[in-house]
Amino acid sequence: MLRVPVLSKSGKPLMPTKPSRARRWLRDGKAKIVHNDLECFAIQLTFETEENTQPIALGIDPGKCYSGIGVQSSLATLWMAHLVLPFKTVTERMELRRVMRRARRGKRINRKLPYSERCHRQERFNNRKQGKLPPSIRANRQLELRVVKELFKLFPISAIHYELVMADVDRTSGRKSARAGVGFSPVMVGQRQMLNWLSKLAPVISHQGWQRNGNGTSQLRKWLGLPKDKKNKDQQTPATHAVDGVTLAAFEFIQWREWHSDNAKHGNWCGDVQITPAPYAVIRRPPISRRQLHLCVPTKGGKRRKYGGTVTRHGFRKGDKVIAEKAGKTYVGWCSGDTEKQISVSDANWKRLGQFSAKKVQLLQRSTGLIVVPSVGLSTLSEVEVSGAV
């Protein structure tokens, strides 16, 4: 059953309520609709009430290109999300910046001089031992952290369940000369930093998805009877990544218990949880280019046109949600660029819908740094009520 996030009069998150009760409060003037960056329907009470809450868990399934998030209570699934991470975008742009930077340095060198007299860049000290995260990994983790902080404004989350990734590339590569041992994956980079960030918000419990003996994420997901699409990971459906976020959150209410008898080890899941239909959203960052003073290819005459940045000449910012009209049709999208008299509008995947006259474009919402596409209606993994006991 759908639950509506509720905030107290002071703005503190309370336990979610039923839609019928939320409509009644709005009708009687006891509540008002509040805006949030996740575009999740939420209300705020206009009267004082008790602030008693029950445990609500947040599950995070991190990835390289996609991540899954789920918010779960013992009685209902509250929210799900599929995050499209900016890993590839940041990697490609960092590579382009490196090429452009080296080209600019090369122009300073007078190659007519002997090598010893050329103006080469001096050797620097070793600055590669600072322990900083690569820009692509940092962008991934910061997007996840941004969404988590927004969820803390809507739900009284009491615990965070985070999946640790241990990629055993060497043993599974199939190469004859492969060495036994733990391999490497970009997902593994930054896990410690992410856990440090999350621990400042709520207690964090880490899980290992590959762990066997019944206590892994996949084992609990199978026991809950939730579908998992492992082949089409780029599909923006709850069954690809959001299902693992819900499963991780369910660890707050379901635990694996072991016992020994007759020199044998046994185990079973213990606890109660209900997986129900819930709001689902696909979230990504608007892939806006940084301001570039040196383009790769200048125009005629050696002049370089303006490129990058968020400012347009028509009062809009790149990433603003707008509604545009053209040839009698209306389009809803995000501002992605401009010309002297027109504005480019793109869809959620940042593919251009068209160029529209600036006079026929209206602002719907200022850019929040997120592109959120809520699903129509409720998204269902599979409505199940499960319980187990030792």
Side-chain angles (χ1 to χ4, degrees):
M1 181 183 295
L2 176 65
R3 293 292 190 269
V4 177
V6 180
L7 306 181
S8 66
K9 187 176 181 179
S10 60
K12 185 177 180 180
L14 303 175
M15 290 301 295
T17 187
K18 297 185 295 184
S20 59
R21 184 177 299 165
R23 290 193 298 268
R24 186 167 63 250
W25 282 342
L26 291 172
R27 182 195 62 193
D28 298 338
K30 296 182 179 181
K32 61 181 180 180
I33 299 176
V34 293
H35 169 76
N36 56 85
D37 290 349
L38 298 181
E39 298 189 14
C40 180
F41 180 78
I43 62 173
Q44 182 177 6
L45 301 180
T46 58
F47 61 93
E48 298 292 343
T49 184
E50 296 182 358
E51 298 183 355
N52 298 328
T53 60
Q54 301 173 5
I56 291 181
L58 171 67
I60 305 175
D61 176 34
K64 175 183 175 182
C65 298
Y66 309 98
S67 291
I69 292 182
V71 182
Q72 177 74 40
S73 69
S74 60
L75 299 179
T77 304
L78 303 178
W79 193 78
M80 298 182 293
H82 175 102
L83 304 188
V84 181
L85 303 178
F87 180 85
K88 293 183 179 179
T89 302
V90 176
T91 302
E92 292 173 358
R93 290 180 177 171
M94 292 299 294
E95 178 68 18
L96 180 60
R97 285 173 58 185
R98 182 179 68 86
V99 173
M100 294 169 63
R101 182 175 63 250
R102 292 185 174 182
R104 292 195 300 271
R105 288 173 179 164
K107 293 179 181 179
R108 298 198 306 260
I109 301 174
N110 185 1
R111 290 177 171 79
K112 295 181 180 179
L113 298 175
Y115 185 85
S116 59
E117 299 179 7
R118 294 178 186 177
C119 183
H120 282 287
R121 183 164 167 263
Q122 295 181 356
E123 183 180 359
R124 298 186 300 172
F125 62 93
N126 187 357
N127 65 344
R128 296 298 184 263
K129 297 183 179 180
Q130 301 177 9
K132 295 182 180 180
L133 292 179
S136 56
I137 302 298
R138 177 175 289 273
N140 284 359
R141 304 288 84 86
Q142 285 180 341
L143 177 58
E144 295 170 354
L145 183 64
R146 167 72 187 283
V147 175
V148 169
K149 288 183 177 179
E150 293 296 331
L151 290 173
F152 268 82
K153 299 178 183 178
L154 298 176
F155 302 100
I157 298 173
S158 57
I160 301 175
H161 292 260
Y162 190 86
E163 182 175 271
L164 293 178
V165 178
M166 297 293 291
D168 199 358
V169 179
D170 291 338
R171 293 178 178 174
T172 60
S173 62
R175 293 183 291 109
K176 296 182 180 180
S177 59
R179 301 188 303 271
V182 176
F184 169 79
S185 170
V187 189
M188 299 168 57
V189 181
Q191 289 187 139
R192 184 178 301 177
Q193 180 65 51
M194 187 63 179
L195 293 176
N196 185 27
W197 289 340
L198 295 175
S199 62
K200 299 178 181 178
L201 303 175
V204 181
I205 301 95
S206 59
H207 303 271
Q208 297 172 339
W210 54 270
Q211 186 175 357
R212 297 181 180 179
N213 300 327
N215 199 22
T217 306
S218 61
Q219 283 74 23
L220 178 57
R221 185 183 64 247
K222 293 177 182 178
W223 186 76
L224 292 173
L226 301 179
K228 174 67 174 179
D229 188 355
K230 297 183 178 180
K231 295 182 179 180
N232 306 311
K233 292 188 176 182
D234 59 337
Q235 295 296 318
Q236 298 176 355
T237 61
T240 51
H241 301 280
V243 61
D244 286 331
V246 174
T247 303
L248 288 164
F251 271 108
E252 182 73 10
F253 314 99
I254 301 290
Q255 292 82 32
W256 176 258
R257 300 289 178 84
E258 291 185 350
W259 71 92
H260 300 269
S261 63
D262 300 331
N263 297 326
K265 182 185 293 186
H266 305 276
N268 194 10
W269 296 102
C270 179
D272 299 286
V273 69
Q274 294 183 23
I275 309 297
T276 62
Y280 171 76
V282 178
I283 303 176
R284 64 175 297 172
R285 271 177 38 184
I288 300 172
S289 299
R290 293 182 60 185
R291 180 74 171 92
Q292 295 183 14
L293 300 179
H294 301 274
L295 284 180
C296 295
V297 181
T299 58
K300 291 183 179 180
K303 297 182 180 180
R304 301 177 185 270
R305 66 178 177 86
K306 175 183 176 295
Y307 183 81
T310 59
V311 180
T312 66
R313 68 199 84 182
H314 305 291
F316 297 95
R317 302 171 189 165
K318 294 180 183 177
D320 287 349
K321 192 172 184 179
V322 297
I323 180 171
E325 181 183 353
K326 188 175 184 180
K329 296 183 180 180
T330 57
Y331 302 84
V332 177
W334 287 263
C335 177
S336 58
D338 71 316
T339 61
E340 185 176 354
K341 296 182 180 180
Q342 294 181 321
I343 293 177
S344 298
V345 179
S346 300
D347 61 6
N349 295 320
W350 215 247
K351 293 183 178 180
R352 194 164 69 180
L353 298 173
Q355 289 183 322
F356 303 84
S357 173
K359 297 180 180 179
K360 296 186 178 181
V361 179
Q362 296 180 0
L363 177 67
L364 295 179
Q365 181 183 357
R366 279 296 184 187
S367 175
T368 61
L370 297 175
I371 293 180
V372 182
V373 183
S375 63
V376 179
L378 296 180
S379 294
T380 306
L381 288 170
S382 60
E383 187 170 2
V384 294
E385 178 179 354
V386 295
S387 61
V390 176

